[in-house]
Amino acid sequence: MQANTTRGFLWSDVETRTLLNIWGEQDIQAALDGNFRNSFVYRDVSRRLGAMGFERTPEQCRVRIKSLKRQYLLAKEGNLRNNGQYHKICKFYDAMERILSNRPATDPQEFIESGAGGEEAVDGLEEDGDDAQDAYPESTDECPYPAETEVKLEYPAVPIPIPIKVTVGNNSKCSLPLHTRPPKRPRKRRANFPMEKLMEQFLEQSAQAEDSFYRMEEQRLQAEDRRREAEHSRELHMLQMLGQMFSSISSARPASAATSSKTAPPAYAPVVPQRSIPHFKTLTLFISSGFERYFGSGSTSHKGMDDDILSLVKSIIPPLTSKKHKGQDGRIGIIGGCQDYTGAPYFAAISALKVGADLSHVFCTKDAATVIKSYSPELIVHPVLDSPNAVEEIEKWLPRLHGLVVGPGLGREDLLLKTAKEVIEKSKARDIPIVIDADGLWLVTQQPSVIQGYQKGILTPNFMEFTRLYEALHHKPMDSSDYQGSVMQLSVAMGNLTLVLKGEQDLITDGNKVISCSIEGSGRRCGGQGDLLSGSMGVLAHWAHAASAAGTVRSVNPSVVAAFGACSLTRQCNSQAFQRHGRSTTTSDMIQEIGSAFKKLFES
């Protein structure tokens, strides 16, 4: 079942009808009628809704039912006044009529005059009717108020008796209620605005308030990021100054000691013991090593750093539970595959599935689709890449995808490169993580702006692809004696984009520091290993950014964590396959090792 993963207040039609079917069941209605405090009933409704594939809290279910009741009763009041035409406007009128027809009738005017508070008599809930969520009804399925209906408030013309004392006989007194003045004219209040216009104004103001809240929240998060960056820069600057200070002190002490041996010091000059000099040197070395360890731009290929990042990779992997539904752990799209190259998109797509994605889509040319389908029935193949409306066909699937891999088997035809460029632009607008490899890097070399500055983008060039890209941006040859410096320079030039230079040791950087993945692989190199890397990286990128949004990964670039995890996994697969097959190792052999390698690295 295609489940709605929206966490907000908007309910789709399918989700709402499923809720009504569950709420209308006989045991639920009996529990609601027989209990005043019924939070446990809505917990049961939420649980049943989750079993159908829709994740909603009991409070959201309760609020939705209250809103639907209000809409139904308002529509029913309109039917009584307007000869039954208003039920056509309320989308779920028939379903609510079927469920509520056997329940005690409630005056709909209570909902118009008393608002959400009147629902307590109908729901019998323990919560108050002034819930903040009730103040903002859903924007979908809303039943409008009857048009051109005026609200009239009338006071009954009842005379108020005033007791008058009357003397009768022997000064005895009695009180008689007499009307001393004619009754007051009843006061009438009329609203000149139709209820429909008032509701439109209310909904518009609600939408504006919600937009304002989200803008303020985004500004707060941006301010928090700037504050953390400022603190990081401040700490970095202080460490640099501290290191320079102690370095100068340790170098100046021997010179001052030599001078003092020739000339006697003045009586007022303090004498520093020579044994204190090693302490300065030790402190300087400690600061320098700490600076390189945590804030330096050099390589951090030590085993301790590898273990630290591997622990971060383990933290982003979602657990396998029976409560999940298909597609929740990742739906990955591969843009590539033409007549000459059908293996590369297959390797990337099947690797994504083997790592843990639930669904893997391949968007390829028409003449490559049948071949790719024949490789595996697990893949969803779309033969649209060379069609006239390729971008529109692929864009329809983007809302369902969690990650995108562009380049495996793409080829260098102008039409295919143009389509890939437009798909990248559409994916960036939807904030989807993008991994670019192979022929996709050729497109980036020609037009760097297509991915430049996109923080959820990852480039995975080999040495030749890296050299072309470096020379295209810097217009000078790469310094072959300093690969780490060149990798950082290219990342900064691309807007601090995450970059993976594949080689003897995979160098990973986001422009701040370089991490080296030195897990032992083998000397065997064969076609398709890079596709295994890019496919697995697409899944890990989705998991890393999802964990970052949930607060699991902090102070570390999620793309760097995903890149390190994919590089480690590919190298481990290569090592295990080489132990079994030796020189005859192929990428298909490596793919068979993904499960055991993943378990050894991330689940042990």
Side-chain angles (χ1 to χ4, degrees), residues 250-287:
S250 61
S251 61
R253 287 295 175 181
S256 62
T259 305
S260 63
S261 63
K262 296 180 181 179
T263 61
Y268 58 85
V271 178
V272 180
Q274 293 296 318
R275 64 176 179 270
S276 64
I277 295 176
H279 295 286
F280 286 116
K281 291 183 178 179
T282 303
L283 185 57
T284 304
L285 290 175
F286 171 76
I287 294 173

Side-chain angles (χ1 to χ4, degrees), residues 290-505:
F291 176 77
E292 289 293 331
R293 175 66 171 80
Y294 294 101
F295 299 100
S297 60
S299 173
T300 56
S301 58
H302 303 292
K303 188 177 185 302
M305 177 58 72
D306 289 354
D307 293 340
D308 292 342
I309 302 182
L310 278 177
S311 64
L312 287 176
V313 178
K314 293 179 183 179
S315 68
I316 69 172
I317 297 173
L320 297 175
T321 64
S322 59
K323 296 182 180 181
K324 290 184 177 179
H325 54 82
K326 180 178 64 179
Q328 193 169 348
D329 280 345
R331 298 183 290 270
I332 308 301
I334 312 296
I335 307 297
C338 59
Q339 183 177 9
D340 296 331
Y341 307 106
T342 57
Y346 162 74
F347 287 142
I350 200 68
S351 298
L353 286 178
K354 292 280 188 178
V355 169
D358 293 340
L359 296 172
S360 192
H361 298 257
V362 178
F363 300 90
C364 61
T365 61
K366 185 177 181 180
D367 48 9
T370 304
V371 181
I372 297 174
K373 284 183 179 179
S374 67
Y375 291 153
S376 173
E378 284 91 357
L379 306 183
I380 305 173
V381 183
H382 307 270
V384 298
L385 196 57
D386 55 349
S387 62
N389 58 340
V391 177
E392 290 77 11
E393 290 292 332
I394 298 174
E395 187 180 6
K396 293 189 302 184
W397 290 92
L398 291 182
R400 309 182 189 181
L401 299 181
H402 296 124
L404 201 67
V405 181
V406 180
L410 179 63
R412 298 182 181 179
E413 294 183 13
D414 293 339
L415 177 62
L416 300 182
L417 293 177
K418 180 181 178 182
T419 300
K421 176 186 175 182
E422 295 182 16
V423 171
I424 291 174
E425 295 291 347
K426 300 288 185 182
S427 303
K428 286 165 55 180
R430 292 186 175 274
D431 205 32
I432 299 175
I434 304 173
V435 179
I436 300 182
D437 186 36
D439 293 324
L441 295 171
W442 177 265
L443 171 63
V444 175
T445 302
Q446 306 300 319
Q447 303 178 52
S449 60
V450 70
I451 196 66
Q452 194 169 23
Y454 184 58
Q455 296 305 305
K456 289 189 178 181
I458 306 176
L459 305 184
T460 60
N462 56 27
F463 179 79
M464 292 302 299
E465 294 164 342
F466 178 85
T467 303
R468 282 197 300 263
L469 189 57
Y470 183 91
E471 293 176 355
L473 267 75
H474 291 87
H475 306 288
K476 64 178 182 179
M478 181 187 65
D479 184 8
S480 58
S481 63
D482 185 14
Y483 287 148
Q484 294 183 8
S486 300
V487 169
M488 286 197 65
Q489 291 175 12
L490 183 57
S491 175
V492 172
M494 291 295 296
N496 288 88
L497 198 68
T498 301
L499 203 66
V500 180
L501 175 56
K502 298 177 287 189
E504 181 180 0
Q505 289 186 349

Side-chain angles (χ1 to χ4, degrees), residues 179-197:
H179 297 288
T180 59
R181 64 179 66 180
K184 291 184 178 180
R185 184 177 181 181
R187 299 173 62 186
K188 295 183 179 180
R189 298 181 181 177
R190 295 180 179 271
N192 297 325
F193 297 100
M195 290 297 293
E196 184 176 359
K197 291 184 179 179

Side-chain angles (χ1 to χ4, degrees), residues 91-134:
K91 184 174 294 186
F92 304 101
Y93 183 92
D94 295 333
M96 296 296 295
E97 175 72 19
R98 175 177 55 81
I99 297 172
L100 297 179
S101 58
N102 297 324
R103 300 193 65 180
T106 303
D107 186 9
Q109 190 66 24
E110 295 179 7
F111 287 83
I112 300 177
E113 296 177 354
S114 61
E119 295 183 16
E120 294 298 307
V122 181
D123 277 2
L125 295 176
E126 66 219 25
E127 306 292 344
D128 291 334
D130 57 352
D131 194 333
Q133 296 178 355
D134 290 326

Side-chain angles (χ1 to χ4, degrees), residues 561-580:
V561 177
F564 187 89
C567 291
S568 303
L569 180 63
T570 304
R571 286 175 168 271
Q572 184 66 31
C573 291
N574 184 268
S575 175
Q576 293 182 191
F578 187 80
Q579 291 175 8
R580 291 176 179 269

